[in-house]
Amino acid sequence: MKTRKYITLAIILLIVAFVAGCSSDANKGPAKEKYPTKPVSVIVPNAAGGPTDIGARMLMPFVEKELGGNMPIINKAGGGGWLGWTDLLNAKPDGYTLAAINTPHVMSYLDPEIKRSTTNLDSFELLCNHVTDYGIVAIRPNDTRFKNIKELIEYARTNELTTTAGAKGSDDHVAMLKWNKAANTKFVPVFNTKGVAEFQAAFLGGHIDVYFGNIGDSLVHFKNGEMKIIAVMAPERSKFLPDIPTTKELGFEVYSWSSRGFVAPKGMDKELKDKIVAAFEKAINNPEHIKKMAEIGLAVNFKKGDDYKNFLLQEEQGIKGVMDMLGWKK
C-alpha cells in the first residue's frame, strides 16, 4: 500500500510540475526567451556598395558582438526601396527581421504614385538612427563661371544649371528644389538609376554643372582635388570639412541630409525591442566603430525613442514643404 501511495504522490508531483512549466512557458514573451537563437536578417533596400549598404555592413559586426548572434545583410533593391521595406512590413515582429531605412527616400510614401497612402512613420517600429550625412554643394575646380556659393546662386538665378539629383525625391533632388524655392535659382535635376558612381562620373566629366551630394560620398573626391565643395547644407560646420562654410553662415536657410537608421516590423514586444536597441546603441557608440565610419566621412549620430521619431518628423516636414515642386500633390 505504501508503495502505491508513493507512486501516486510522484505522479501528482510530476503533473503539478508539468502544469507549472507550461504556465511559465505561456507567460514567457519573446524577450524573456533566449534571443537570438537563429540569424537576424537585416534588409538593406538598396544595391550592394551604396552608402547605406556600406554603413550597415560596417556596423553589423559590432551589433553581432553585443547581441550575440549572426546578422546577415540581405540586399533587396527595387521600387525605390519599397521592395525591401514591404518585406519588412510583412514580416513577423519577432526580432528576426530588421531593415535599414534611409531618408528622405522612405518618405516617398507621400508620393501618390507610390500608392502607399496608408503608410507613414508609424507603420514601422522605429529602432534608432545610425548616421546623419549632411548635404554639400560642389563645383569643378576649373569652372570659370563661379567660384563660391554666392556667385553660383547669382549665376543660377538667371541661367539654368544642371545638377546631380540621384532618384526623384532623394535628398539631393529635394535639396536642389529647396534652393530653387528659397533663392529663385534655376537648377535642373539630372536623374540616374545606377547610383552615386554614375552621377559622380557625369559631373567630373563635365556633363553636369553642379554637384549636389553628401559629405560621405564626396570627401575623397574633395581631398583629391577633383571637386571643390563650396557649402555644407547644415546649421553647423562639419568636423570633416572644418574650413567649408555652412549655408546658415552664408545666409541661406537651406539644409539637407540623409539619415540612415534601422526599423523593425510593427508590434514588437517592448522588452525585445529594448534589448535590440540597447545592442545597437553600444555598437554605434563603440569608439572603434566611430573611427571606422569617420575614415569614410560618415558622422555617427545615435538617436532612439522620441528623439529619433521627432528627428524623422522634422525631415518629413521638409519634404512636405516642396511636395508641390515634386509633383506629389494629390
Side-chain angles (χ1 to χ4, degrees):
M1 293 294 292
K2 287 184 179 181
T3 301
R4 289 183 179 178
K5 287 182 180 179
Y6 288 141
I7 293 173
T8 302
L9 180 60
I11 292 172
I12 292 172
L13 291 172
L14 285 171
I15 292 172
V16 170
F18 176 77
V19 172
C22 290
S23 175
S24 174
D25 288 341
N27 290 330
K28 279 185 179 181
K32 294 176 182 176
E33 297 174 353
K34 180 175 172 55
Y35 169 86
T37 58
K38 59 182 181 180
V40 177
S41 296
V42 181
I43 298 172
V44 172
N46 310 90
T52 302
D53 178 69
I54 291 171
R57 289 181 186 277
M58 292 182 70
L59 173 63
M60 284 313 123
F62 294 92
V63 184
E64 288 176 340
K65 182 179 178 182
E66 298 296 338
L67 208 54
N70 294 326
M71 302 182 73
I73 298 292
I74 311 297
N75 292 98
K76 290 190 176 182
W82 286 105
L83 181 65
W85 291 322
T86 299
D87 282 358
L88 181 281
L89 293 172
N90 291 333
K92 293 180 180 179
D94 57 4
Y96 288 100
T97 306
L98 310 178
I101 61 168
N102 43 11
T103 62
H105 300 79
V106 73
M107 290 155 190
S108 59
Y109 54 67
L110 294 169
D111 180 0
E113 291 186 9
I114 298 294
K115 297 181 180 179
R116 301 205 68 93
S117 60
T118 60
T119 304
N120 53 42
L121 291 175
D122 289 329
S123 301
F124 301 91
E125 199 73 61
L126 303 176
L127 299 178
C128 63
N129 192 58
H130 177 207
V131 165
T132 302
D133 194 7
Y134 277 98
I136 59 95
V137 182
I139 59 176
R140 284 182 294 278
N142 61 353
D143 202 318
T144 58
R145 295 169 295 177
F146 28 73
K147 60 180 181 291
N148 57 49
I149 188 69
K150 290 187 176 180
E151 290 183 7
L152 171 64
I153 297 306
E154 285 301 318
Y155 187 92
R157 282 173 174 158
T158 56
N159 299 274
E160 285 192 353
L161 291 171
T162 55
T163 71
T164 54
K168 183 178 180 181
S170 67
D171 57 316
D172 306 322
H173 182 211
V174 171
M176 183 221 75
L177 294 176
K178 287 180 179 179
W179 278 111
N180 285 352
K181 188 170 186 176
N184 296 314
T185 48
K186 295 182 178 181
F187 291 126
V188 179
V190 176
F191 299 113
N192 79 87
T193 58
K194 297 181 181 178
V196 175
E198 181 183 11
F199 62 70
Q200 282 183 341
F203 166 73
L204 295 174
H207 305 295
I208 298 177
D209 295 308
V210 183
Y211 186 86
F212 278 77
N214 298 88
I215 294 172
D217 61 52
S218 310
L219 196 59
V220 171
H221 296 290
F222 170 73
K223 289 181 176 179
N224 290 342
E226 297 172 303
M227 65 171 60
K228 180 179 179 181
I229 297 177
I230 55 177
V232 177
M233 292 180 279
E236 297 179 354
R237 291 203 178 194
S238 167
K239 64 181 179 181
F240 303 121
L241 297 166
D243 298 324
I244 306 301
T246 66
T247 45
K248 184 176 182 178
E249 292 175 58
L250 296 164
F252 299 103
E253 293 288 328
V254 178
Y255 305 130
S256 175
W257 64 83
S258 174
S259 69
R260 293 147 207 168
F262 295 91
V263 295
K266 194 71 175 178
M268 178 178 283
D269 177 86
K270 184 180 183 302
E271 289 186 46
L272 176 59
K273 178 181 176 179
D274 289 346
K275 180 175 182 176
I276 293 172
V277 172
F280 269 92
E281 183 171 10
K282 289 181 180 179
I284 290 172
N285 289 327
N286 183 304
E288 185 181 349
H289 167 254
I290 292 173
K291 181 181 178 181
K292 286 180 177 294
M293 296 296 282
E295 288 172 355
I296 58 172
L298 292 176
V300 166
N301 183 23
F302 179 81
K303 292 180 183 291
K304 64 179 178 179
D306 289 341
D307 284 344
Y308 185 36
K309 184 172 183 178
N310 291 335
F311 176 68
L312 293 176
L313 286 172
Q314 179 187 356
E315 190 160 5
E316 185 184 69
Q317 283 301 117
I319 304 301
K320 289 180 177 179
V322 293
M323 278 182 66
D324 55 336
M325 301 175 78
L326 283 165
W328 288 2
K329 286 293 185 182
K330 296 181 180 179

